Amino acid sequence: MGKRTTRKSSGKKGAWGGLFAGIFLILLAWITRSTGLWEMLSPESTPAASLSLPQDAGELQVWYIDIGQGDSQYIRTPSGKDILIDAGDTYAGDSLVSWLQDQGIEKLDMVIVTHPHADHIGGMSAVLQAFPPDVFYMPSLPESQIPTSRCYEEMLLALEENGNKITTAKAGVIPLEEEGLRLEFLAPGTGTYDSLNNYSAVVRLTYGERNFLFMGDAETPVEEELLANHSPLQADVLKCGHHGSNTSTSLAFLKAVSPSAAVISCGADNEYGHPHEEILTRLQQASVTIYRTDTQGTLCAVTNGHSLSFHTDLPSAWED
Ligand SMILES: [Zn+2]
């Protein structure tokens, strides 16, 4: 601004004008600095959204990471265990690794793959290389459903290089139980399906009075089975199956889960039209608060086992 004033100035009048403008600017700078206005005006001091939320003693954090179109959730247990469910698509792998590094993570205690579609495992080889996990869970698949994709091969290679074995994720397995916290698989069961989505590992996380349900891409046939099996479905937070597609989150299932909040993990303007309008309407009619990674970026639910809060405006692991 000062430079432009000087450049425009010509002759004696202009020189005086420039001098006054200069004095004015110096005074303005002094006033703003001394009154704290400087902090509000200076772009350098604009408070950046904090990446890692401080974790109070006894708190569980559940992060729904914005990785574009796909799924990735990160759980930090009250005892400090780091668990990752899915790793988004291939293009998000490096950004997800940086995001996790920014969280101060050096190693993951547990990695869960819900099912080996690219939008869930594309970034997994990068994650496995950066954070060799203690345990790795994935559902076992019938021969006809085993992917031939490059990202699947790369994930298997990374597991091999780490010396990681694949532990089968299936209904009834409880990978973690400690101090009021329990993580269990509700699916897959023994059913056979045409769609790989329905082999998704469904995860239920309980801490104190609070429950979280992660559906992967499980569709209505799985929801119906879970209802028929009388699986413990009630959850405060439902990570909707299949990115809010109308293949999932059937009315009967939603009633049984009875969540206060639903999270939809999908990319902005994705080619599948996720989430489907029908599902948004269904959630609204059930008075469920909707959180979306495509419109709100990364989200974090925090609970001490009693109270539950959602944090938004958190940096994404992916920018379109
Ligand atoms: Zn998916």
Side-chain angles (χ1 to χ4, degrees):
M1 200 203 283
K3 269 184 184 167
R4 209 172 296 152
T5 312
T6 315
R7 222 183 294 134
K8 273 183 188 169
S9 307
S10 59
K12 218 176 183 183
K13 241 183 182 177
W16 278 110
L19 183 64
F20 280 122
I23 291 168
F24 173 74
L25 283 174
I26 290 163
L27 269 173
L28 182 69
W30 180 77
I31 290 165
T32 50
R33 268 177 199 274
S34 59
T35 55
L37 265 173
W38 185 260
E39 272 71 32
M40 290 164 68
L41 297 173
S42 164
E44 289 83 3
S45 63
T46 304
S50 159
L51 181 56
S52 90
L53 287 174
Q55 186 184 27
D56 289 342
E59 253 182 16
L60 166 73
Q61 296 186 344
V62 180
W63 294 73
Y64 301 86
I65 310 166
D66 174 23
I67 39 80
Q69 178 67 13
D71 255 33
S72 187
Q73 289 95 44
Y74 159 60
I75 299 164
R76 179 173 282 170
T77 73
S79 71
K81 289 204 170 66
D82 297 308
I83 301 166
L84 188 75
I85 304 178
D86 292 339
D89 216 323
T90 312
Y91 56 73
D94 290 342
S95 347
L96 178 60
V97 166
S98 308
W99 189 95
L100 291 166
Q101 278 163 346
D102 289 343
Q103 291 287 342
I105 294 171
E106 287 168 6
K107 147 180 120 46
L108 290 165
D109 294 276
M110 190 189 303
V111 167
I112 297 167
V113 161
T114 61
H115 66 300
H117 268 154
D119 58 326
H120 298 251
I121 61 155
M124 193 54 89
S125 61
V127 166
L128 291 172
Q129 280 160 9
F131 312 101
D134 284 352
V135 277
F136 179 92
Y137 282 91
M138 185 168 70
S140 88
L141 301 170
E143 199 68 33
S144 60
Q145 294 284 355
I146 294 173
T148 53
S149 60
R150 190 172 160 184
C151 61
Y152 183 70
E153 298 300 329
E154 284 175 350
M155 181 183 79
L156 294 184
L157 196 66
L159 286 169
E160 202 182 307
E161 281 167 3
N162 284 350
N164 279 131
K165 287 200 188 99
I166 300 173
T167 309
T168 304
K170 61 179 181 183
V173 170
I174 301 167
L176 184 64
E177 197 161 24
E178 57 174 30
E179 299 161 28
L181 181 137
R182 180 185 163 100
L183 192 138
E184 65 179 310
F185 292 117
L186 302 185
T190 50
T192 52
Y193 313 93
D194 293 335
S195 168
L196 176 56
N197 286 343
N198 288 328
Y199 288 93
S200 285
V202 170
V203 177
R204 189 171 194 251
L205 174 65
T206 300
Y207 181 51
E209 300 161 7
R210 299 296 177 175
N211 295 292
F212 298 80
L213 200 56
F214 305 87
M215 294 302 295
D217 279 359
E219 299 174 351
T220 298
V222 173
E223 297 176 350
E224 284 170 353
E225 273 174 39
L226 291 169
L227 287 167
N229 293 341
H230 305 289
S231 297
L233 296 177
Q234 190 284 319
D236 300 279
V237 185
L238 168 68
K239 201 292 293 175
C240 289
H242 200 195
H243 320 286
S245 160
N246 58 12
T247 56
S248 311
T249 321
S250 57
L251 184 57
F253 182 73
L254 182 61
K255 277 188 179 164
V257 177
S258 181
S260 55
V263 177
I264 293 169
S265 183
C266 66
D269 304 318
N270 63 78
E271 58 184 299
Y272 312 98
H274 296 155
H276 289 146
E277 208 53 50
E278 188 185 336
I279 300 305
L280 295 176
T281 306
R282 188 172 295 158
L283 291 168
Q284 278 156 1
Q285 282 172 349
S287 303
V288 179
T289 306
I290 302 169
Y291 292 98
R292 293 170 55 168
T293 59
D294 60 334
T295 56
Q296 292 167 292
T298 295
L299 307 154
C300 183
V302 177
T303 180
N304 56 11
H306 307 287
S307 64
L308 173 70
S309 58
F310 258 86
H311 298 259
T312 58
D313 200 22
L314 297 163
S316 295
W318 163 251
E319 272 179 37
D320 206 355

